[in-house]
Amino acid sequence: MTEVRKRPTVAIVGAGAAGTLTAVQLCETATRRRTPLDLVLVDPAPEAGRGTAYATPDPRHRLNVPAGGMSCYPDDPGHFTRWLCRHGEPTVSGADFATRYRYGAYLADTLAQAVVRSHGTVSVRRLRTRAESCTGTPEGPVELHLADGGLLTADSAVLATGPAAPTAAWAPPALRTSPRFINSPWKPGALDAVRDDTADILLVGTGLTAVDLALTLDRSKRTVHAVSRNGLLPQPHALGPAGAMEAPSWPRDLTLSGLRRTVYRHVSRSVRTHGDWRPALDSLRPHTARLWRSLTPEERGEFLAHEGALWNTHRHRMAPTTAESVTRARTARRLQVHAGTITDVVESGGRLAVTLSNGRTVRVGWVIDCTGPGQRLEDPLWRGLFETGAAVPGPLGMGVATRDGHLLDARGRCPRPLFTLGAPRRGELWETTAIPEIRVQAATLARQLLAPPARRAARRRPVDGLGLPLSTHAEAATAYRNGLDRVLKVRAGAEDAFARAVALDPGFALGHAALALLGHECGAAVDVPRALADAQRCAHERADERERSFVDVITRRVQSADGDRALIRHLDTHPADALALAAAVPTIAFSGVTDLDDDYALRLVERTSPAYDGHWFHTSLLAFLRQEQGRLYEAGELAHRALGVEPASGHAVHALAHVHYESGAHEAGRDWLDGWVSGQGRGAVHRAHFSWHIALHELALDDPAAVRRRWFAQLAPGRVTGVRALVDSGSLLWRARLSGNWQGELPTSDVLDTVACEVLERPATAFTALHAAVALTAAGDLPALRRLRDHAAGADPVQREVIAPLCDAFAALVEQRFHEAAHGLDALLPVLRKVGGSAAQREVVEETLLFALVSAGRCDAARRLLDARLDRKAAPRDRRMLAGLPG
C-alpha cells in the first residue's frame, strides 16, 4: 500500500531577511526531499527580502559585512558575490561591501529562483497584511488572525519578525511629544521634512544606524550632532585582509572575569602578530553563542553594562568607504560626536534646545532616535503570546525564550509548532542579528519543519550504464545515463542531460556532482559552487555510500583539498564507477590525477580492468595511456579495437590521433582524422581539439597555408570559445608563430576576448594555467602574465612549482631576455608532466625553449634539441629549422 503523505502548511510571519532566508531553505529542502508543501508569507511590505535593513535606496548605505560573508547559503559562501557579478558588477570580489539596497534585491531574487525551482512541489503565497495574534490548541494547528480580518491556519509558523521596535523610553516627555522628534527614521517618508530643512540635527545613538543617517543627512551648511552614553562610533573594517587566527583555548570553568582575561590576551596576541585587533575578534564569532550561554544571568547583565558598547563598536564595523565618509564629515565639523545623555529639551521657534549630561546645549531642528532595537518584543502578535503564556521573554528580558528556535511556553515546554529565528533569539544567543547566523538558523529550521525523506519500500533501483545503482527515480536515471554515455564518448550534450536529471529529481546528489565536475574541469556553463553545495545537501539526505564518496571526491577536487588521493581511494572501493575513472585519467576530457607519480593513471586503469571486462570505454583509456608510454603499436591496436565496438568513442580517436602524431605519420594521421571529424566526430564535444590535432600534423608538414585555413575554418574564435579556445586555438597560434608558419599579425587578442578574466588570471587547474600563460605570452601581455604568476604562487602545489616559474620564463621571453628565458624553460621540462594533459600539448613549452635558444644565439643547444625531436618523430618543419641553423 502506498503511503499518502499529508501536505503541510507552514506560515512565515515576516518577509524581511530572516523570513526570506527561511522561505528559501524551506522551498529547497522540500524540493530535494520531494515533500509537498504549502508556504505562506505574511508581511505587508511590497517586496520580500528588504525589511527595514535593506529597503534604503541610498547608495551610501553599505553592508557592514563583506560580500563574501553575505551569501544566503551557509554551505555556498560565494553565492552573493557571484550574483553581483551576474547583475552588473563583474569585478566585485568577496572583500567588497555592497549597498544595502542591492542586498535586498539579491534576497528577493534568490527567493524567486527558489520558488521557480520548487514549482510542482511547493506552492507559495504572499499575504500583504500583518499577523496580529496567534491562537490554537497545543495539539492542533496554528491560527493566525490577520489585520485584514482573515484567518490563516497552518501546521506550523515561523515568527521572523526581526528586531524589536525602538521604544524611545530614554526620551524626556517633552521630546517624545514633539513633532520634531522622529522615533522611527526608516519608515517611508519619515525623513522627508528633515531633508527639506537646513537646520542642524541631533542623532541619539552612535551606532551603524546613526552612521547611515549621518551620511544621508549630511549637508554643506548643516551640523549633524550624534550623542550616546560612550560617544563611540563603530570601528572601520580593515582595507585589506589582516590575517586569520584560531580562537583561544577557553578555561574549563569559564566566568566573565576569566573570559575577559582570555579575550584581552587573545587581542594582544593578534596585535603583536598581525598588527591588528580584528583577526582576534573575528575568530571569536563561531564561539560567541556558546560563550554567552556559559555565563550566568548576572554575568550577562554585567557584560552588557560594562562591555556591551565596546563589543558592539568593534564587532559591528563600518565598511571602509563609509568610514572614509564619516572621517571627512568629522574633519569638516559637519559631524560632531558627543558622549552623554539628554537631560532636558526645550522647544522654541521651531527649534529644540537639547541639554546633554556633559553640560553642553545644542540647538537643532530635529532629534532622531538611532538607539536601535528595543529589548522587549512589544508588537501585538508577541504581546498576545506573552499574555497567554504561549511564549515567555528571553534572558534579561531580551527577545523570546526558545529551545533551538522552538518557542518555550510559561512551563518551559514547546507544545505548539511555533518557531523563531534571528533577532528574537538575542537574549538566548547574543550574536544572532547578522546574516551569517540567521542563514544557519534558517537551514536548521527547514530541516526541522519538514519530514525527512520518506523511506521507500525496498525495490530495485535504476542503474547507470555500467550497472551501478542510482538513488533516484527511473526518469532522472535515464537522463543521467544519457549524460554519462556522452561523457564517456566525449560527445556534446552531457551538461544538458545531467541538468535534466537534477531538474527531474532535485534531490539527486550524483547529478549535481556530475554538473560540478563538468563546470570545474570542462568549462561547462555551470555554477560550480552552487552545484557542489546542492550535491552535498542531497548526499546527506539521500544517497548510498558510493554516491556520497563520489560527492566527497568532487568536493575535494574543486577545492584542491587532497582531490587526487580521494579519487584514488574511491576507485579502489568502486572500480566500476566510470565517471570517476574518466576524471582520474588525463585525456581529452579531464585533467586527471596530477599530484601522484607519472604512471599512476596507467596502473589505475590496469587495476580497474576486471570491473569493465573489455568494455570499449576502458579499452579507449588504456589505448591513450599506452601511447603516453611510447607503446604506439599497442596503443593503435587497442584504439582500433574500441572503435570497432563504438565508432563514436572520442577517447579511442584521441589515442589514435596521438599515435599518428608521435610516430610521425603526419599525412596518414591528417587524412584519417579529417575524415572522422567530418563523419562520426560531428557530435564530439571537443571537436575543436581534434581539429587542433589535424593542425599539428599540418604544422609538422610545414604547410602554413593549410594551418591558416584550418584556423579560420575550425579554430577561430566564434567557432571555439572559452577554455577550449585557450587550450587549442591559442596554443596553435603560438606554435605557428614559433615555427615561422604564421606571418603577420597574430590574432591572439581574438582568443583572449573569448575567455573570462577569471580563467585567464585565476585558473582552477595547472593545465588551464599553462595554456593561459602561453596565450598571454603570445599576446605580449606582461601585466596579465604577472597577475597569473601571482595567482599560481598562492594556488595548488603544481601551480606553485611549475606555473609560477613558467610565467617568469615567459615574461623574460616577452622582454627579450632570451638567455634567462631559455634557462627557466629548460629547468621546467622534467617536471612539466605534473600539469596534466598530453605530451603533444606540453610540447609547446619545448618549442618555446627552442625559439629562446635560437634567439639567444645558442645554436648548438638548439641543434641538440632539434636532433632529439627528430629522433622521436619525423617532421619536415624540424628538418627545415635544423637546416637553417648557422654553423
Side-chain angles (χ1 to χ4, degrees), residues 784-802:
L785 194 57
R786 287 178 176 136
R787 289 193 292 272
L788 173 60
R789 191 253 179 236
D790 291 342
H791 162 79
D796 59 82
V798 179
Q799 292 205 50
R800 291 198 300 270
E801 181 184 351
V802 182

Side-chain angles (χ1 to χ4, degrees), residues 805-820:
L806 182 70
C807 289
D808 289 334
F810 280 168
L813 188 80
V814 173
E815 294 178 325
Q816 298 186 10
R817 294 180 281 116
F818 297 119
H819 283 284
E820 186 178 336

